[in-house]
Amino acid sequence: MTTPFYVSPQQAMADRADYARKGIARGRSVVVLTYADGILFVAENPSRALHKMSEIYDRIAFAAVGKYNEFENLRIGGVRYADIRGYSYARHDVTARGLANVYAQTLGTIFSSGGEKPYEVELIVAEVGSTPADDQIYRLTYDGSIADEQHYVAMGGNADQITEQLKRSHREGLPLDEALRVAVDVLSRDGSGEKRTITAAQLEVAVLDRTRSQKRKFKRVVGAQLARLLGESASGAADAAAEGGNGADGDGGSGAAGETSEE
């Protein structure tokens, strides 16, 4: 009888963490930062069908990088949790902190289980408050760890370099157009600092806007509004959108261009 190959628990966890980190790093980055009237979400994503950021509840939004099918399952679960809790108790009982705790338990259980691979995802759960001081941004990693972020956060791709650039560029109380330009500027720089051009057609942008009169504060920024905020001409943005939407640079059925099933 052969002796089973032994792997220490520490080595097994290290291998699982390395596997998840490599999968996440292949995806394009997402930047979340505060601005004067709320929280801004920006990602390089040419697909118009597969979103990296979505509404969860009235004041709460979700952003993710990694395997699309995995974080989409988590998003759907979060929407169900929020709907059930809001219906069972009250709408103000649905909070980003509560949702982040639910996601942390799910990701932690999957990561520590030997029966399935870890999720190759990182998540952000954000809630816009009545004032800037009440805004909340939580970052969750593949192993269920939670970080309470202040003012800005980046994940996926070259997130460390982007975070360093945000530290230098971001300041509290930025108007929306300036905050968007800061986000696009840091996303357009590669690991060596070289800058490339990112057009409106290549971006997915959304906000949690505390000034909206509706209970639902989530809003996607698209089309002419996005072009105007970026300083692009409306006709140029329309031409770029037409080129980006012809399927050549889309996600196909599983992810953004060049990333197979990673988002």
Side-chain angles (χ1 to χ4, degrees):
M1 181 176 178
T2 58
T3 303
F5 183 73
Y6 175 75
V7 178
S8 69
Q10 294 88 344
Q11 184 61 49
M13 290 297 102
D15 290 343
R16 291 171 70 83
D18 187 55
Y19 172 86
R21 281 195 296 266
K22 287 180 178 178
I24 293 164
R26 287 195 293 268
R28 293 185 175 95
S29 301
V30 172
V31 171
V32 178
L33 64 161
T34 58
Y35 71 102
D37 295 326
I39 301 173
L40 172 66
F41 303 76
V42 184
E44 186 180 358
N45 181 16
S47 173
R48 291 296 172 264
L50 305 178
H51 297 301
K52 293 185 177 183
M53 54 198 71
S54 298
E55 179 183 33
I56 295 290
Y57 209 62
D58 295 347
R59 292 175 167 267
I60 302 172
F62 165 102
V65 294
K67 284 287 186 71
Y68 177 81
N69 63 314
E70 292 177 349
F71 70 66
E72 179 66 6
N73 285 336
L74 292 169
R75 183 194 68 82
I76 293 170
V79 171
R80 289 172 178 163
Y81 161 84
D83 284 343
I84 291 171
R85 186 167 183 83
Y87 179 78
S88 301
Y89 300 97
R91 298 186 77 88
H92 63 261
D93 287 322
V94 183
T95 64
R97 182 184 302 173
L99 182 61
N101 286 333
V102 171
Y103 281 145
Q105 293 173 25
T106 301
L107 289 170
T109 300
I110 293 170
F111 181 76
S112 59
S113 169
E116 56 183 317
K117 77 171 189 66
Y119 271 19
E120 299 168 63
V121 297
E122 281 193 22
L123 311 178
I124 289 174
V125 179
E127 179 178 357
V128 67
S130 301
T131 66
D134 297 325
D135 292 344
Q136 299 175 43
I137 302 174
Y138 298 100
R139 178 182 181 180
L140 294 99
T141 56
Y142 52 85
D143 61 353
S145 300
I146 305 179
D148 183 5
E149 303 288 351
Q150 301 295 319
H151 306 307
Y152 56 82
V153 60
M155 57 184 184
N158 55 331
D160 292 339
Q161 294 93 328
I162 290 175
T163 300
E164 286 300 315
Q165 293 166 22
L166 284 171
K167 190 182 297 184
R168 296 190 294 268
S169 304
H170 181 267
R171 68 178 189 275
E172 294 184 54
L174 286 172
L176 178 57
D177 57 344
E178 289 187 29
L180 178 59
R181 283 195 286 270
V182 166
V184 173
D185 180 68
V186 299
L187 286 173
S188 65
R189 299 181 186 275
D190 60 23
S192 62
E194 294 294 322
K195 190 173 181 181
R196 57 199 171 84
T197 300
I198 300 178
T199 66
Q202 297 169 286
L203 291 172
E204 181 183 356
V205 180
V207 294
L208 283 170
D209 184 354
R210 80 178 97 257
T211 65
R212 297 191 82 196
S213 58
Q214 304 95 320
K215 286 184 178 180
R216 298 171 63 179
K217 306 301 182 182
F218 182 85
K219 176 186 175 184
R220 295 194 182 277
V221 182
V222 297
Q225 182 187 12
L226 178 56
R228 184 174 67 253
L229 289 169
L230 290 173
E232 296 181 5
S233 67
S235 59
D239 293 341
E243 293 175 4
N246 63 7
D249 297 324
D251 290 62
S254 57
E259 299 176 30
T260 62
S261 58
E262 278 79 22
E263 270 283 305

